[in-house]
Amino acid sequence: MAASTAAGKQRIPKVAKVKNKAPAEVQITAEQLLREAKERELELLPPPPQQKITDEEELNDYKLRKRKTFEDNIRKNRTVISNWIKYAQWEESLKEIQRARSIYERALDVDYRNITLWLKYAEMEMKNRQVNHARNIWDRAITTLPRVNQFWYKYTYMEEMLGNIAGARQVFERWMEWQPEEQAWHSYINFELRYKEVERARTIYERFVLVHPDVKNWIKYARFEEKHAYFAHARKVYERAVEFFGDEHMDEHLYVAFAKFEENQKEFERVRVIYKYALDRIPKHEAQELFKNYTIFEKKFGDRRGIEDIIVSKRRFQYEEEVKANPHNYDAWFDYLRLVESDAEAETVREVYERAIANVPPIQEKRHWKRYIYLWINYALYEELEAKFTFAKMWLYYAQFEIRQKNLPFARRALGTSIGKCPKNKLFKGYIELELQLREFDRCRKLYEKFLEFGPENCTSWIKFAELETILGDIERARAIYELAISQPRLDMPEVLWKSYIDFEIEQEETERTRNLYRQLLQRTQHVKVWISFAQFELSSGKEGSVAKCRQIYEEANKTMRNCEEKEERLMLLESWRSFEDEFGTASDKERVDKLMPEKVKKRRKVQADDGSDAGWEEYYDYIFPEDAANQPNLKLLAMAKLWKKQQQEKEAAEQDPDKDVDESES
């Protein structure tokens, strides 16, 4: 044993010692070694020999070997999907579609969640024009993996390319049931717009903004309506968006878009209202873009007053921030109050005063109370000198004081005394509001009776009284109140009263009563809006023959308004009639209304100054209706003038190009 160990030790070679450890003169790097190997092609292997298949037996043998190779690879590792796909694509290249299908189906049994596998399978069927097979695969794919958007996109694209629009729409509807991402909804909308289905696109938008209720999506909906010239629909979408988000989730981008829409429609007053509404409710640090756009708008379309309003609004925001940071900063409150007194309404000023005096000094030291007392003094001076504090306000404040002290009989006694001594609308309204809050409806009735005895011409009071009876369910009593109201010899707003009465009967579904009301109203006034409203009521009644009745109303209105001096109103009636016929009439009905449309003619007339002297001539537009017998000569003369002008133009054209006439005659 010892001998073998010694022999083993002797067989170990000795390591040669390097005597010269200095670096070589020529250094060789690894990069140089690789480059030389590449140049000498040391690692290149010769290509395999090309195999030429000459008969069917060799082909079958080749197929068998390849299939065995593919099957061996699959058997070694079933989860490598690339092996399955290569196998299926190879079978597809041999036009063995049935075998390729079988391979794809086997692969799906292994991993049905693999997206690439489904895509390759469906693409194979589409490539080989197997449409029904492709539909079957897409159906299975979207049923198995409904959250993979790529399947839905390709499925709808395939149906659209095949011209199966109804089928593509059906697939989109199935997709929307899963409430997918925003881009999917936009794809559906664009699909409908490609086929001019605007109404369907609008319906999709309605669902879209409820599934994805973001501000940007509401704005897209409104811009869609604006793009297709449905301006009333666009305005309604913006209004619904403002109502949907409310005061809790206000976003400046919505109001900026709304304002720009109204600006495009030249509704500048609406734009101002939108900006002011938003600026009053959105915090300053979130409304920078709103301020910027409002300032630009006022500089473009506003006057000096509008620009001053912006400056005042900015200062108000600054003061609001200051008093929020320190509510006991009375100097800031004084500055704020001076600002609102110089510009705001009385109710706004009172609100700021009430907020200011609510911040009582925290400690009992005179130096703190000295500034606070002046808030009360300024408040009293404002009410006395600026707001013109009336006796009605005094009585109402006294009654409110008694209610706060829980002395209801004293409050009623005070209001009753005030009505007896100095009856005013504000006192009646305040007393009625109190009894309504207490649910004392019999007292409300008595107060309304006294109120209407005091001011029978007040239409608002009649309407409120009737609405109260309607809420209480006493329809006949409400109807009697309306009848009594319209029989009054003098009313301050009769059109509002009649509209309220007609709306009341429509809500009660009393068609015949509503029709009689319109007839009564037309005996008092022949205003064009009454006729149009009457016609639209007949159309919206929904009963048999409503279209014929609506047309009859338009005809009757046109006959009645022939003697009307206001030709613009008559034109408004005919335009409304034409819109009705465009939707419900036949070609002959439309042609008949078109023949009634007037000719727009430019005329001149003398203008007189205030002192009666001539101030020159002015041009204006007049309307000549074909039905007016008195205007027939004018129309004939106008037609002859147009014919003469046309003949002159043709004659001049013939003189300018005589060669052309010669060529034509020779030909």
Side-chain angles (χ1 to χ4, degrees), residues 415-447:
L415 291 172
T417 305
S418 68
I419 289 173
K421 289 185 176 182
C422 55
K424 290 186 177 181
N425 290 348
K426 189 173 288 187
L427 286 172
F428 278 107
K429 290 177 183 177
Y431 199 176
I432 291 169
E433 185 65 28
L434 170 64
E435 298 297 352
L436 278 175
Q437 291 176 358
L438 296 172
R439 300 295 187 267
E440 294 286 349
F441 300 117
D442 289 332
R443 287 180 179 271
C444 291
R445 285 180 175 135
K446 292 178 182 178
L447 285 170

mmCIF file of all heavy atoms in Angstrom, residues 415-447:
data_model
loop_
_atom_site.group_PDB
_atom_site.id
_atom_site.type_symbol
_atom_site.label_atom_id
_atom_site.label_comp_id
_atom_site.label_asym_id
_atom_site.label_seq_id
_atom_site.Cartn_x
_atom_site.Cartn_y
_atom_site.Cartn_z
ATOM 1 N N LEU A 415 -97.166 87.459 12.216
ATOM 2 C CA LEU A 415 -97.376 87.481 10.775
ATOM 3 C C LEU A 415 -98.805 87.886 10.427
ATOM 4 O O LEU A 415 -99.043 88.600 9.440
ATOM 5 C CB LEU A 415 -97.043 86.113 10.177
ATOM 6 C CG LEU A 415 -95.562 85.736 10.198
ATOM 7 C CD1 LEU A 415 -95.357 84.288 9.769
ATOM 8 C CD2 LEU A 415 -94.764 86.652 9.283
ATOM 9 N N GLY A 416 -99.793 87.417 11.225
ATOM 10 C CA GLY A 416 -101.175 87.820 10.977
ATOM 11 C C GLY A 416 -101.369 89.320 11.151
ATOM 12 O O GLY A 416 -102.050 89.982 10.357
ATOM 13 N N THR A 417 -100.740 89.857 12.184
ATOM 14 C CA THR A 417 -100.826 91.306 12.407
ATOM 15 C C THR A 417 -100.180 92.079 11.264
ATOM 16 O O THR A 417 -100.693 93.113 10.815
ATOM 17 C CB THR A 417 -100.131 91.668 13.733
ATOM 18 O OG1 THR A 417 -100.699 90.890 14.784
ATOM 19 C CG2 THR A 417 -100.282 93.142 14.045
ATOM 20 N N SER A 418 -99.036 91.559 10.770
ATOM 21 C CA SER A 418 -98.345 92.253 9.680
ATOM 22 C C SER A 418 -99.190 92.274 8.411
ATOM 23 O O SER A 418 -99.258 93.291 7.712
ATOM 24 C CB SER A 418 -97.006 91.568 9.403
ATOM 25 O OG SER A 418 -97.213 90.280 8.851
ATOM 26 N N ILE A 419 -99.884 91.165 8.135
ATOM 27 C CA ILE A 419 -100.732 91.128 6.941
ATOM 28 C C ILE A 419 -101.906 92.087 7.098
ATOM 29 O O ILE A 419 -102.345 92.723 6.128
ATOM 30 C CB ILE A 419 -101.208 89.680 6.689
ATOM 31 C CG1 ILE A 419 -100.025 88.826 6.221
ATOM 32 C CG2 ILE A 419 -102.347 89.635 5.677
ATOM 33 C CD1 ILE A 419 -100.340 87.358 6.095
ATOM 34 N N GLY A 420 -102.410 92.206 8.326
ATOM 35 C CA GLY A 420 -103.515 93.137 8.554
ATOM 36 C C GLY A 420 -103.091 94.592 8.438
ATOM 37 O O GLY A 420 -103.840 95.429 7.927
ATOM 38 N N LYS A 421 -101.873 94.906 8.891
ATOM 39 C CA LYS A 421 -101.444 96.308 8.914
ATOM 40 C C LYS A 421 -100.794 96.748 7.606
ATOM 41 O O LYS A 421 -101.048 97.855 7.130
ATOM 42 C CB LYS A 421 -100.466 96.522 10.077
ATOM 43 C CG LYS A 421 -101.140 96.472 11.437
ATOM 44 C CD LYS A 421 -100.149 96.817 12.550
ATOM 45 C CE LYS A 421 -100.846 96.857 13.907
ATOM 46 N NZ LYS A 421 -99.909 97.226 14.996
ATOM 47 N N CYS A 422 -99.897 95.938 7.073
ATOM 48 C CA CYS A 422 -99.203 96.327 5.825
ATOM 49 C C CYS A 422 -99.063 95.104 4.924
ATOM 50 O O CYS A 422 -97.996 94.500 4.841
ATOM 51 C CB CYS A 422 -97.838 96.934 6.133
ATOM 52 S SG CYS A 422 -96.768 95.880 7.140
ATOM 53 N N PRO A 423 -100.126 94.677 4.235
ATOM 54 C CA PRO A 423 -100.054 93.473 3.392
ATOM 55 C C PRO A 423 -99.092 93.663 2.218
ATOM 56 O O PRO A 423 -99.188 94.636 1.478
ATOM 57 C CB PRO A 423 -101.499 93.296 2.911
ATOM 58 C CG PRO A 423 -102.111 94.650 3.036
ATOM 59 C CD PRO A 423 -101.452 95.312 4.201
ATOM 60 N N LYS A 424 -98.156 92.716 2.092
ATOM 61 C CA LYS A 424 -97.190 92.729 0.999
ATOM 62 C C LYS A 424 -96.982 91.296 0.521
ATOM 63 O O LYS A 424 -97.205 90.335 1.272
ATOM 64 C CB LYS A 424 -95.849 93.318 1.448
ATOM 65 C CG LYS A 424 -95.897 94.811 1.725
ATOM 66 C CD LYS A 424 -94.499 95.339 2.009
ATOM 67 C CE LYS A 424 -94.540 96.859 2.214
ATOM 68 N NZ LYS A 424 -93.195 97.416 2.459
ATOM 69 N N ASN A 425 -96.526 91.196 -0.736
ATOM 70 C CA ASN A 425 -96.301 89.866 -1.312
ATOM 71 C C ASN A 425 -95.309 89.050 -0.492
ATOM 72 O O ASN A 425 -95.482 87.852 -0.274
ATOM 73 C CB ASN A 425 -95.794 89.996 -2.750
ATOM 74 C CG ASN A 425 -96.858 90.507 -3.692
ATOM 75 O OD1 ASN A 425 -98.038 90.558 -3.339
ATOM 76 N ND2 ASN A 425 -96.458 90.905 -4.881
ATOM 77 N N LYS A 426 -94.259 89.717 -0.024
ATOM 78 C CA LYS A 426 -93.214 89.013 0.724
ATOM 79 C C LYS A 426 -93.754 88.457 2.038
ATOM 80 O O LYS A 426 -93.393 87.354 2.461
ATOM 81 C CB LYS A 426 -92.052 89.962 0.978
ATOM 82 C CG LYS A 426 -90.822 89.273 1.558
ATOM 83 C CD LYS A 426 -89.634 90.207 1.643
ATOM 84 C CE LYS A 426 -89.081 90.488 0.271
ATOM 85 N NZ LYS A 426 -87.832 91.269 0.332
ATOM 86 N N LEU A 427 -94.658 89.189 2.680
ATOM 87 C CA LEU A 427 -95.235 88.707 3.935
ATOM 88 C C LEU A 427 -96.109 87.481 3.694
ATOM 89 O O LEU A 427 -96.042 86.501 4.449
ATOM 90 C CB LEU A 427 -96.057 89.821 4.587
ATOM 91 C CG LEU A 427 -95.258 90.955 5.239
ATOM 92 C CD1 LEU A 427 -96.183 92.068 5.664
ATOM 93 C CD2 LEU A 427 -94.475 90.431 6.440
ATOM 94 N N PHE A 428 -96.947 87.547 2.655
ATOM 95 C CA PHE A 428 -97.791 86.395 2.352
ATOM 96 C C PHE A 428 -96.938 85.167 2.031
ATOM 97 O O PHE A 428 -97.207 84.064 2.518
ATOM 98 C CB PHE A 428 -98.703 86.718 1.162
ATOM 99 C CG PHE A 428 -99.930 87.498 1.539
ATOM 100 C CD1 PHE A 428 -100.051 88.836 1.210
ATOM 101 C CD2 PHE A 428 -100.968 86.896 2.236
ATOM 102 C CE1 PHE A 428 -101.181 89.561 1.557
ATOM 103 C CE2 PHE A 428 -102.111 87.616 2.584
ATOM 104 C CZ PHE A 428 -102.217 88.956 2.242
ATOM 105 N N LYS A 429 -95.911 85.356 1.207
ATOM 106 C CA LYS A 429 -95.059 84.224 0.826
ATOM 107 C C LYS A 429 -94.350 83.631 2.042
ATOM 108 O O LYS A 429 -94.249 82.412 2.188
ATOM 109 C CB LYS A 429 -94.035 84.668 -0.214
ATOM 110 C CG LYS A 429 -94.634 84.973 -1.580
ATOM 111 C CD LYS A 429 -93.568 85.478 -2.541
ATOM 112 C CE LYS A 429 -94.156 85.852 -3.891
ATOM 113 N NZ LYS A 429 -93.134 86.420 -4.813
ATOM 114 N N GLY A 430 -93.842 84.493 2.920
ATOM 115 C CA GLY A 430 -93.161 84.003 4.112
ATOM 116 C C GLY A 430 -94.087 83.230 5.031
ATOM 117 O O GLY A 430 -93.712 82.183 5.583
ATOM 118 N N TYR A 431 -95.318 83.760 5.228
ATOM 119 C CA TYR A 431 -96.292 83.094 6.092
ATOM 120 C C TYR A 431 -96.691 81.737 5.501
ATOM 121 O O TYR A 431 -96.767 80.726 6.215
ATOM 122 C CB TYR A 431 -97.512 83.999 6.264
ATOM 123 C CG TYR A 431 -98.384 83.661 7.469
ATOM 124 C CD1 TYR A 431 -99.485 84.451 7.796
ATOM 125 C CD2 TYR A 431 -98.126 82.551 8.278
ATOM 126 C CE1 TYR A 431 -100.285 84.169 8.877
ATOM 127 C CE2 TYR A 431 -98.913 82.247 9.368
ATOM 128 C CZ TYR A 431 -100.009 83.054 9.659
ATOM 129 O OH TYR A 431 -100.796 82.765 10.740
ATOM 130 N N ILE A 432 -96.954 81.715 4.176
ATOM 131 C CA ILE A 432 -97.343 80.452 3.528
ATOM 132 C C ILE A 432 -96.210 79.435 3.603
ATOM 133 O O ILE A 432 -96.435 78.242 3.854
ATOM 134 C CB ILE A 432 -97.745 80.728 2.061
ATOM 135 C CG1 ILE A 432 -99.053 81.515 2.013
ATOM 136 C CG2 ILE A 432 -97.883 79.430 1.274
ATOM 137 C CD1 ILE A 432 -99.406 82.054 0.648
ATOM 138 N N GLU A 433 -94.964 79.885 3.401
ATOM 139 C CA GLU A 433 -93.809 78.982 3.488
ATOM 140 C C GLU A 433 -93.705 78.365 4.878
ATOM 141 O O GLU A 433 -93.405 77.167 5.025
ATOM 142 C CB GLU A 433 -92.535 79.753 3.142
ATOM 143 C CG GLU A 433 -91.277 78.915 3.087
ATOM 144 C CD GLU A 433 -91.299 77.885 1.977
ATOM 145 O OE1 GLU A 433 -91.972 78.131 0.949
ATOM 146 O OE2 GLU A 433 -90.656 76.832 2.150
ATOM 147 N N LEU A 434 -93.973 79.160 5.907
ATOM 148 C CA LEU A 434 -93.943 78.653 7.281
ATOM 149 C C LEU A 434 -94.981 77.560 7.478
ATOM 150 O O LEU A 434 -94.689 76.482 8.018
ATOM 151 C CB LEU A 434 -94.183 79.813 8.254
ATOM 152 C CG LEU A 434 -94.421 79.417 9.720
ATOM 153 C CD1 LEU A 434 -93.180 78.762 10.304
ATOM 154 C CD2 LEU A 434 -94.822 80.627 10.547
ATOM 155 N N GLU A 435 -96.223 77.803 7.036
ATOM 156 C CA GLU A 435 -97.286 76.820 7.227
ATOM 157 C C GLU A 435 -97.048 75.567 6.385
ATOM 158 O O GLU A 435 -97.430 74.466 6.793
ATOM 159 C CB GLU A 435 -98.639 77.447 6.873
ATOM 160 C CG GLU A 435 -99.036 78.629 7.753
ATOM 161 C CD GLU A 435 -99.218 78.247 9.227
ATOM 162 O OE1 GLU A 435 -99.179 77.039 9.554
ATOM 163 O OE2 GLU A 435 -99.371 79.158 10.050
ATOM 164 N N LEU A 436 -96.436 75.736 5.211
ATOM 165 C CA LEU A 436 -96.105 74.558 4.401
ATOM 166 C C LEU A 436 -95.100 73.662 5.112
ATOM 167 O O LEU A 436 -95.211 72.435 5.096
ATOM 168 C CB LEU A 436 -95.549 74.989 3.048
ATOM 169 C CG LEU A 436 -96.557 75.364 1.962
ATOM 170 C CD1 LEU A 436 -95.833 75.888 0.736
ATOM 171 C CD2 LEU A 436 -97.421 74.171 1.581
ATOM 172 N N GLN A 437 -94.099 74.279 5.733
ATOM 173 C CA GLN A 437 -93.104 73.493 6.469
ATOM 174 C C GLN A 437 -93.730 72.759 7.649
ATOM 175 O O GLN A 437 -93.296 71.672 8.016
ATOM 176 C CB GLN A 437 -91.982 74.402 6.948
ATOM 177 C CG GLN A 437 -91.116 74.937 5.821
ATOM 178 C CD GLN A 437 -90.075 75.919 6.324
ATOM 179 O OE1 GLN A 437 -90.022 76.221 7.517
ATOM 180 N NE2 GLN A 437 -89.261 76.439 5.411
ATOM 181 N N LEU A 438 -94.790 73.359 8.206
ATOM 182 C CA LEU A 438 -95.495 72.730 9.330
ATOM 183 C C LEU A 438 -96.587 71.771 8.867
ATOM 184 O O LEU A 438 -97.297 71.197 9.706
ATOM 185 C CB LEU A 438 -96.109 73.813 10.218
ATOM 186 C CG LEU A 438 -95.106 74.758 10.903
ATOM 187 C CD1 LEU A 438 -95.830 75.897 11.583
ATOM 188 C CD2 LEU A 438 -94.257 73.987 11.914
ATOM 189 N N ARG A 439 -96.787 71.647 7.544
ATOM 190 C CA ARG A 439 -97.800 70.778 6.962
ATOM 191 C C ARG A 439 -99.222 71.178 7.385
ATOM 192 O O ARG A 439 -100.103 70.327 7.511
ATOM 193 C CB ARG A 439 -97.542 69.303 7.321
ATOM 194 C CG ARG A 439 -96.202 68.760 6.842
ATOM 195 C CD ARG A 439 -96.157 68.736 5.323
ATOM 196 N NE ARG A 439 -94.978 68.094 4.804
ATOM 197 C CZ ARG A 439 -93.858 68.717 4.484
ATOM 198 N NH1 ARG A 439 -93.772 70.035 4.639
ATOM 199 N NH2 ARG A 439 -92.825 68.073 3.996
ATOM 200 N N GLU A 440 -99.438 72.471 7.588
ATOM 201 C CA GLU A 440 -100.765 72.989 7.916
ATOM 202 C C GLU A 440 -101.421 73.457 6.611
ATOM 203 O O GLU A 440 -101.467 74.645 6.286
ATOM 204 C CB GLU A 440 -100.643 74.137 8.923
ATOM 205 C CG GLU A 440 -100.133 73.726 10.287
ATOM 206 C CD GLU A 440 -101.199 72.967 11.095
ATOM 207 O OE1 GLU A 440 -102.376 72.961 10.673
ATOM 208 O OE2 GLU A 440 -100.843 72.397 12.133
ATOM 209 N N PHE A 441 -101.965 72.487 5.849
ATOM 210 C CA PHE A 441 -102.443 72.809 4.502
ATOM 211 C C PHE A 441 -103.732 73.626 4.518
ATOM 212 O O PHE A 441 -103.961 74.435 3.622
ATOM 213 C CB PHE A 441 -102.623 71.520 3.705
ATOM 214 C CG PHE A 441 -101.354 70.731 3.571
ATOM 215 C CD1 PHE A 441 -101.226 69.455 4.107
ATOM 216 C CD2 PHE A 441 -100.247 71.275 2.923
ATOM 217 C CE1 PHE A 441 -100.049 68.743 3.986
ATOM 218 C CE2 PHE A 441 -99.061 70.567 2.792
ATOM 219 C CZ PHE A 441 -98.967 69.303 3.326
ATOM 220 N N ASP A 442 -104.592 73.420 5.513
ATOM 221 C CA ASP A 442 -105.812 74.238 5.585
ATOM 222 C C ASP A 442 -105.471 75.706 5.814
ATOM 223 O O ASP A 442 -106.092 76.608 5.232
ATOM 224 C CB ASP A 442 -106.719 73.718 6.700
ATOM 225 C CG ASP A 442 -107.337 72.376 6.332
ATOM 226 O OD1 ASP A 442 -107.501 72.130 5.120
ATOM 227 O OD2 ASP A 442 -107.656 71.584 7.240
ATOM 228 N N ARG A 443 -104.487 75.943 6.647
ATOM 229 C CA ARG A 443 -104.045 77.330 6.865
ATOM 230 C C ARG A 443 -103.459 77.915 5.574
ATOM 231 O O ARG A 443 -103.646 79.092 5.259
ATOM 232 C CB ARG A 443 -103.000 77.379 7.980
ATOM 233 C CG ARG A 443 -103.557 77.157 9.388
ATOM 234 C CD ARG A 443 -102.433 77.216 10.412
ATOM 235 N NE ARG A 443 -102.913 77.038 11.769
ATOM 236 C CZ ARG A 443 -103.327 78.030 12.560
ATOM 237 N NH1 ARG A 443 -103.319 79.263 12.110
ATOM 238 N NH2 ARG A 443 -103.751 77.788 13.780
ATOM 239 N N CYS A 444 -102.710 77.054 4.827
ATOM 240 C CA CYS A 444 -102.144 77.519 3.548
ATOM 241 C C CYS A 444 -103.252 77.945 2.588
ATOM 242 O O CYS A 444 -103.133 78.959 1.888
ATOM 243 C CB CYS A 444 -101.298 76.417 2.919
ATOM 244 S SG CYS A 444 -99.770 76.054 3.801
ATOM 245 N N ARG A 445 -104.341 77.157 2.550
ATOM 246 C CA ARG A 445 -105.448 77.508 1.659
ATOM 247 C C ARG A 445 -106.046 78.866 2.026
ATOM 248 O O ARG A 445 -106.296 79.706 1.155
ATOM 249 C CB ARG A 445 -106.517 76.416 1.724
ATOM 250 C CG ARG A 445 -106.141 75.138 0.980
ATOM 251 C CD ARG A 445 -107.242 74.113 1.077
ATOM 252 N NE ARG A 445 -106.948 72.936 0.262
ATOM 253 C CZ ARG A 445 -107.104 71.684 0.684
ATOM 254 N NH1 ARG A 445 -107.538 71.446 1.912
ATOM 255 N NH2 ARG A 445 -106.834 70.683 -0.121
ATOM 256 N N LYS A 446 -106.255 79.069 3.310
ATOM 257 C CA LYS A 446 -106.842 80.344 3.739
ATOM 258 C C LYS A 446 -105.904 81.507 3.412
ATOM 259 O O LYS A 446 -106.343 82.580 2.980
ATOM 260 C CB LYS A 446 -107.123 80.298 5.241
ATOM 261 C CG LYS A 446 -108.241 79.334 5.621
ATOM 262 C CD LYS A 446 -108.442 79.283 7.130
ATOM 263 C CE LYS A 446 -109.531 78.264 7.504
ATOM 264 N NZ LYS A 446 -109.710 78.157 8.974
ATOM 265 N N LEU A 447 -104.611 81.275 3.608
ATOM 266 C CA LEU A 447 -103.645 82.342 3.311
ATOM 267 C C LEU A 447 -103.602 82.646 1.815
ATOM 268 O O LEU A 447 -103.517 83.822 1.413
ATOM 269 C CB LEU A 447 -102.248 81.930 3.800
ATOM 270 C CG LEU A 447 -102.035 81.993 5.308
ATOM 271 C CD1 LEU A 447 -100.717 81.349 5.688
ATOM 272 C CD2 LEU A 447 -102.057 83.437 5.784
#
